[in-house]
């Protein structure tokens, strides 16, 4: 059973960087053909895919967020991380990490087989 757990600050000030880590257990982030994604849900809105890192290390980003986003991984810790720069209150959301298998279809949220429980991040001064 694969488990994902998000961690990071729950409050970030405007213009600062949001940093979250997803720790994976019960499976390796280097297992072939899996994408490891970050997804968020702002209050009162639907899910939004932020970006993903593939098992071999390639990264993919939502074009709307690409200029502010970086996803990296630490295979020795079986973790992957999100950095979102220059945040505004519009970045307030519940942030999830999740896994899906190839092929990509990053906004097909029904195709993700494992999700973290989500972590609330609020951007406010």
């Amino acid at each position: 059973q694969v488990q994902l757990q998000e961690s990071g600050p729950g409050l970030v000030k405007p213009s600062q960087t949001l940093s979250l880590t997803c720790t994976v257990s019960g499976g390796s982030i280097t297992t072939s053909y899996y994408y490891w994604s970050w997804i968020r849900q702002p209050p009162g809105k639907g899910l939004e895919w932020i970006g993903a890192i593939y098992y071999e290390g390639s990264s993919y980003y939502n074009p709307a967020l690409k200029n502010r986003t970086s996803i990296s991984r630490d295979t020795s810790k079986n973790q992957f991380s999100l950095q979102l720069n220059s945040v505004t209150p519009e970045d307030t959301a519940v942030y999830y990490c999740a896994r899906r298998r190839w092929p990509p279809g990053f906004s097909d949220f029904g195709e993700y087989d494992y999700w973290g429980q989500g972590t609330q991040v609020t951007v406010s001064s």
Side-chain angles (χ1 to χ4, degrees):
Q1 179 82 359
V2 177
Q3 294 184 315
L4 296 87
Q5 178 67 58
E6 305 89 351
S7 59
L11 180 64
V12 183
K13 295 185 185 308
S15 80
Q16 293 189 344
T17 296
L18 181 161
S19 297
L20 296 174
T21 295
C22 183
T23 300
V24 179
S25 58
S28 173
I29 63 172
T30 61
T31 298
S32 295
Y33 313 126
Y34 283 101
Y35 296 92
W36 302 87
S37 280
W38 286 99
I39 296 162
R40 68 182 182 180
Q41 186 167 28
K45 297 185 179 181
L47 295 169
E48 178 182 35
W49 176 71
I50 302 170
I53 191 162
Y54 200 30
Y55 76 99
E56 33 76 296
S58 301
S59 54
Y60 305 84
Y61 299 106
N62 184 329
L65 299 170
K66 182 177 183 177
N67 289 342
R68 299 195 289 129
T69 307
S70 178
I71 295 177
S72 59
R73 66 178 186 172
D74 185 335
T75 56
S76 67
K77 296 181 179 178
N78 214 32
Q79 296 175 332
F80 63 105
S81 297
L82 168 69
Q83 285 197 317
L84 183 64
N85 301 322
S86 304
V87 297
T88 72
E90 286 66 42
D91 293 308
T92 293
V94 177
Y95 285 75
Y96 298 93
C97 54
R99 186 188 85 164
R100 69 160 291 150
R101 203 177 188 281
W102 187 92
F106 296 120
S107 294
D108 294 334
F109 298 115
E111 295 299 317
Y112 288 82
D113 57 357
Y114 290 102
W115 292 72
Q117 65 184 21
T119 188
Q120 173 70 47
V121 179
T122 300
V123 179
S124 174
S125 56

